[in-house]
Amino acid sequence: MMFLKIMTLFTLIVAGTFSSTPVKNTVQNAIENEGAKEILEAADYNYTRTTMMFLNADAFAEVSEFNYFEFTQSRITLWTENALYMHNASASEGVNSGYLNENGRMKHYHLSNGHESIGGTKDDVIIDRDDGAYNIHDFDGFGTLHKIKKLSLNESLSSRFTLVDGIENRYQMVFDNTRKDEDKLIELFMYFIAPVYTNPTINDDEYLHFDRVEISFSSSKDEVNYYLYVEDADCSKLDSTNQSTGLFASAVVNNIETTTIASVSDYLNL
């Protein structure tokens, strides 16, 4: 395998206040020794995730009737140590939803003026639900890089990734339904790459069947890319651009350790 020679350092902190790992050393190691494990570990608690799903109009309408949550195919999620906030920079679609940790409880909130209030004050944070004694980074219903990182460390997940033919620094893991707990692994990546999508069962069958996940650093090396693919039989449910490849959803992770939600930080007195 050829490793890229990277001469430019950029700043990337893995986990906010959670981690004391030196930023420069962590990132430089990930770049100069590119591999699946390094890519999986390139972020943890603090990052911005921009996601896209590529269902065609008919499939989106069909699955939306059964999906556990109302969802949109584009979403921006800001993750910090103590909160997450979702929007899509679109007033018409109105994604304005978040969760925060407060006194050992996970609470749902929205912002008074949507994403325009991200940089606001505590007065912009409106708590509308208490969801119980959970931490947002460990809650089963969320897909987080923290969980994926745990898998890569504790279950040698990265050993299942192989280089994608013809694409340098891009790795794939083909799902194997004969493996124990493979459904949970697939679900973990699905929740992360296609947030709020729950893949409902329709006519006694899961709506989509997933084939593989792919990961890579971006060409600029300050972003991480995740891609989730469906099996051939489900490609007809995708838009015309992605039917030939089977790409169902993608996630771009950036602003690592520099993502902030000022209004929530003010609310929590951080």
Side-chain angles (χ1 to χ4, degrees), residues 79-202:
W79 278 96
T80 67
E81 176 77 12
N82 294 290
L84 69 88
Y85 177 69
M86 297 176 287
H87 70 95
N88 58 359
S90 172
S92 61
E93 290 185 311
V95 176
N96 177 22
S97 180
Y99 294 86
L100 55 81
N101 295 326
E102 184 178 33
N103 299 323
R105 310 284 294 184
M106 185 179 78
K107 298 184 179 180
H108 186 271
Y109 72 94
H110 63 275
L111 298 179
S112 60
N113 293 304
H115 67 278
E116 295 182 0
S117 295
I118 290 171
T121 69
K122 61 183 178 182
D123 295 331
D124 292 307
V125 177
I126 302 171
I127 304 295
D128 48 44
R129 192 172 70 238
D130 185 328
D131 282 344
Y134 301 102
N135 181 291
I136 59 169
H137 289 282
D138 296 321
F139 185 63
D140 282 344
F142 299 151
T144 69
L145 278 179
H146 176 56
K147 292 179 183 178
I148 293 172
K149 180 178 178 179
K150 276 186 175 180
L151 281 174
S152 71
L153 292 173
N154 298 336
E155 298 181 17
S156 299
L157 181 66
S158 62
S159 66
R160 291 183 56 190
F161 280 90
T162 59
L163 273 170
V164 176
D165 289 342
I167 306 179
E168 195 169 21
N169 183 44
R170 182 153 165 165
Y171 296 80
Q172 68 175 3
M173 180 179 68
V174 177
F175 296 125
D176 179 359
N177 289 319
T178 67
R179 297 176 69 103
K180 182 180 179 181
D181 297 329
E182 192 77 351
D183 287 347
K184 189 65 178 177
L185 177 65
I186 294 172
E187 182 181 84
L188 180 66
F189 279 105
M190 182 190 74
Y191 283 164
F192 178 73
I193 303 172
V196 191
Y197 180 74
T198 56
N199 200 32
T201 297
I202 303 176

Side-chain angles (χ1 to χ4, degrees), residues 12-18 42-49 77-83 137 145-146 253-261:
L12 182 70
I13 298 177
V14 173
T17 55
F18 170 78
D44 200 340
Y45 282 88
N46 182 290
Y47 53 88
T48 298
R49 176 188 62 191
T77 307
L78 310 180
W79 278 96
T80 67
E81 176 77 12
N82 294 290
H137 289 282
L145 278 179
H146 176 56
V253 173
N254 59 14
N255 298 330
I256 301 169
E257 192 51 24
T258 61
T259 295
T260 59
I261 312 171

